[in-house]
Amino acid sequence: MTTPNSTSEPRSGARESDKIDGAVLKISSVVVLGAIMSILDVTVVSVALTTFSQEFDATMAAVAWTMTAYTLALATVIPATGWAADRFGTKRLYITALILFVIGSVACAFAWDITSLIAFRVIQGLGGGMLMPLGMTIMTRAAGPDRVGRVMAVLGIPMLLGPIGGPILGGWLIDVASWHWIFLINLPVGLVALAAAVRLLPKDEPSPSQTFDVVGMLLLSPGLALFLFGVSSIPEVGTIASARVLVSAGLGLALILGFVFHSLSKDHPLIDLHLFENRQLTIAVTTTTMFIIAFMGAGLLFPSYFIQVRGESALAAGLLLAPQGIGAMVTMPIAGRLVDKIGSGKIVLTGLPLIALGLSTFTQLTADSSYLLLTGSLFVMGLGMGCTMMPLMTAALVTLENEMIARGSTLMNIVQQTAGSIGTATMSMVLTNQLLDRPDAGTAIASREEPAIAEQVPQPMLEQGFGAAADAFAGTFTVAFLIAAVTLVPAFFLPRRRSTPTTEDVQPAMMH
């Protein structure tokens, strides 16, 4: 019987050795450099928002667009990445993305007002949006199906460093230099990554036969951008029942639905939705979506609690989050090796309970909760995260044939970006409503930024307000905890043995 692997070019490195060889490690180093820059720039700007507001004399609502514009640019460019990787080759496209990202970074450093900074963040996001899906494609192809788990663990490093290292790096650069350096730091790193990509990435073998799905691009990219714009607007307007939210998100969903019907009837769509006929990929996508909504949503709350309720600086808050990254760094390499041997199901079902356990502590927050307890809980969450994020990616991609990997990794990155935006918007809205129900909490939080308020309000009232604010955060963390707990349901159906491409897995997608 002829298997799919016998009729297509085998993936490099397949079954010859289960160890990660030097060639794959060199490729990994290039990909990790690019991914670190892209993901760090999602979070590094978060600590500079107040600085931007003062520097450019802009409102916080306007300044927030420096983050939102970057996110929307990521979502817009990701759909075309799979096709472009097949058409032009991953190496050429990766180098192009690096150049675009570095140009955008340098331009941001020389922005003269808030409008120019937002525009340059879009350029930066267009380059950054291609780096992660391309990196996943390059590494998966280089490693082969028997080592996907381990290379995904390597690629998980920047996913950890982004939310943890971003606030620390941003706070430190602003303290010792100026806000310009949170962007200029990408220039030397980007040049090193560019030189390494030219020298170390494997030669391209593009497939020019497929035509570009123009209609799909015109439906999906604006659809994603409009939907995420609507969702991202929820914290600012304070309610879902706003014309800005409903019209934007509704129109975006309509375009996305149009893309679904278009994709299912086209031979070579922008994103091949026939991939969902692969049961394992579908389960992995469902689990990933729920996990990221809970995890990324909670991730937004941690620094806010430390800064707004406990009065810590941005740098101190970033350092308090470090145990989460340390925990993930402990388990991620181990999980990567085990996934390749026993499948992703058992690993994820170990990680999710650890995440829920860590989150449970934050559902009981007070204004003076023990830092030892909180950092210990973050460490436990990190242990769980190391067993969850990249094993889910591996579960989705390991059963795909070589020619489907670019499309599969693009699909997973769209899922990540969308779920992350939904998670942060949901938790922001819940927290905002919790705080609105406790007016004294808002007064206490405002006193952190305005010393005059602290002088006018009696200390007992401030302490009561901080207690109320902690209750608001606890209530919001409870929502994240419940979502994380429910994520165990789809995770239960993940494979609990080693997975490789089979005729059953790949044939539906190949037929289309």
Side-chain angles (χ1 to χ4, degrees):
M1 181 177 174
T2 303
T3 65
N5 280 337
S6 65
T7 60
S8 62
E9 184 182 348
R11 292 186 234 186
S12 60
R15 294 199 69 88
E16 292 182 5
S17 171
D18 279 349
K19 295 182 179 180
I20 301 296
D21 55 41
V24 176
L25 285 176
K26 288 178 182 178
I27 293 170
S28 301
S29 67
V30 179
V31 171
V32 167
L33 270 178
I36 283 177
M37 288 195 303
S38 173
I39 296 174
L40 270 179
D41 262 57
V42 177
T43 57
V44 75
V45 172
S46 62
V47 297
L49 296 182
T50 303
T51 304
F52 292 154
S53 179
Q54 296 168 350
E55 183 79 17
F56 298 123
D57 191 24
T59 64
M60 288 303 294
V63 165
W65 276 99
T66 58
M67 295 185 68
T68 306
Y70 184 84
T71 303
L72 294 180
L74 287 178
T76 302
V77 75
I78 285 173
T81 304
W83 171 83
D86 290 339
R87 175 65 179 82
F88 301 109
T90 52
K91 180 174 182 175
R92 294 174 197 165
L93 194 62
Y94 196 81
I95 290 171
T96 302
L98 280 173
I99 293 171
L100 196 59
F101 184 84
V102 171
I103 290 173
S105 298
V106 174
C108 285
F110 289 95
W112 56 89
D113 60 19
I114 195 64
T115 303
S116 62
L117 179 59
I118 292 169
F120 294 143
R121 284 283 282 171
V122 170
I123 296 173
Q124 198 185 27
L126 292 175
M130 291 187 281
L131 291 175
M132 200 64 184
L134 282 172
M136 289 174 63
T137 301
I138 291 168
M139 289 180 64
T140 306
R141 286 177 174 173
D146 298 313
R147 301 179 294 181
V148 170
R150 269 159 285 185
V151 297
M152 285 293 112
V154 173
L155 195 54
I157 294 172
M159 288 187 172
L160 299 174
L161 293 179
I164 296 161
I168 297 174
L169 178 63
W172 178 74
L173 287 172
I174 291 171
D175 285 346
V176 302
S178 69
W179 67 267
H180 305 82
W181 284 96
I182 65 176
F183 300 114
L184 287 175
I185 192 69
N186 289 325
L187 179 58
V189 178
L191 290 176
V192 171
L194 193 59
V198 171
R199 182 175 177 83
L200 299 177
L201 290 185
K203 184 179 178 181
D204 282 327
E205 296 179 4
S207 306
S209 58
Q210 295 186 8
T211 56
F212 183 58
D213 182 10
V214 177
V215 174
M217 183 70 178
L218 293 176
L219 288 171
L220 185 57
S221 286
L224 280 172
L226 282 168
F227 175 73
L228 294 181
F229 171 76
V231 170
S232 300
S233 299
I234 293 173
E236 186 179 339
V237 299
T239 176
I240 295 178
S242 161
R244 176 171 158 186
V245 174
L246 292 177
V247 172
S248 300
L251 183 57
L253 281 175
L255 289 171
I256 292 170
L257 187 61
F259 171 78
V260 170
F261 287 109
H262 167 78
S263 174
L264 292 176
S265 62
K266 186 174 175 62
D267 288 338
H268 300 294
L270 189 67
I271 301 296
D272 191 355
L273 298 184
H274 293 105
L275 288 171
F276 282 109
E277 294 177 19
N278 180 324
R279 179 177 178 271
Q280 181 168 318
L281 181 139
T282 302
I283 294 170
V285 166
T286 304
T287 310
T288 300
T289 300
M290 296 177 67
F291 161 69
I292 289 181
I293 287 174
F295 191 84
M296 296 298 287
L300 173 77
L301 302 176
F302 296 131
S304 297
Y305 166 77
F306 288 129
I307 293 169
Q308 295 178 339
V309 179
R310 305 301 289 267
E312 301 292 348
S313 67
L315 179 57
L319 291 170
L320 284 166
L321 293 176
Q324 189 177 53
I326 295 170
M329 288 178 184
V330 170
T331 54
M332 192 170 279
I334 300 170
R337 287 193 295 271
L338 290 177
V339 164
D340 290 332
K341 294 179 180 178
I342 64 175
S344 57
K346 294 175 182 176
I347 310 300
V348 175
L349 286 173
T350 301
L352 284 174
L354 287 172
I355 290 172
L357 177 62
L359 271 175
S360 66
T361 300
F362 287 87
T363 65
Q364 307 299 316
L365 275 181
T366 66
D368 56 359
S369 292
S370 164
Y371 274 180
L372 181 62
L373 176 63
L374 296 184
T375 54
S377 298
L378 286 169
F379 178 75
V380 171
M381 282 189 68
L383 293 174
M385 194 272 191
C387 295
T388 306
M389 176 69 83
M390 301 321 290
L392 284 172
M393 290 289 178
T394 303
L397 298 179
V398 72
T399 59
L400 297 181
E401 281 291 280
N402 193 52
E403 60 270 26
M404 302 303 297
I405 290 174
R407 303 300 175 94
S409 61
T410 299
L411 174 64
M412 290 302 290
N413 275 270
I414 291 174
V415 168
Q416 279 189 352
Q417 191 63 48
T418 305
S421 296
I422 292 172
T424 53
T426 299
M427 298 308 162
S428 294
M429 183 183 65
V430 173
L431 179 60
T432 299
N433 289 331
Q434 291 273 332
L435 291 172
L436 287 174
D437 291 339
R438 300 169 173 85
D440 50 345
T443 302
I445 289 174
S447 72
R448 294 293 191 198
E449 299 177 358
E450 297 289 341
I453 296 177
E455 294 173 2
Q456 295 171 4
V457 180
Q459 187 63 29
M461 289 187 64
L462 282 179
E463 291 178 0
Q464 181 179 338
F466 286 126
D471 288 341
F473 275 92
T476 311
F477 276 118
T478 300
V479 175
F481 167 78
L482 292 174
I483 296 173
V486 173
T487 306
L488 284 165
V489 175
F492 182 78
F493 295 97
L494 287 168
R496 298 179 200 172
R497 56 186 176 83
R498 180 174 175 167
S499 299
T500 54
T502 64
T503 304
E504 180 182 357
D505 287 327
V506 301
Q507 197 65 28
M510 299 292 288
M511 289 172 61
H512 297 286

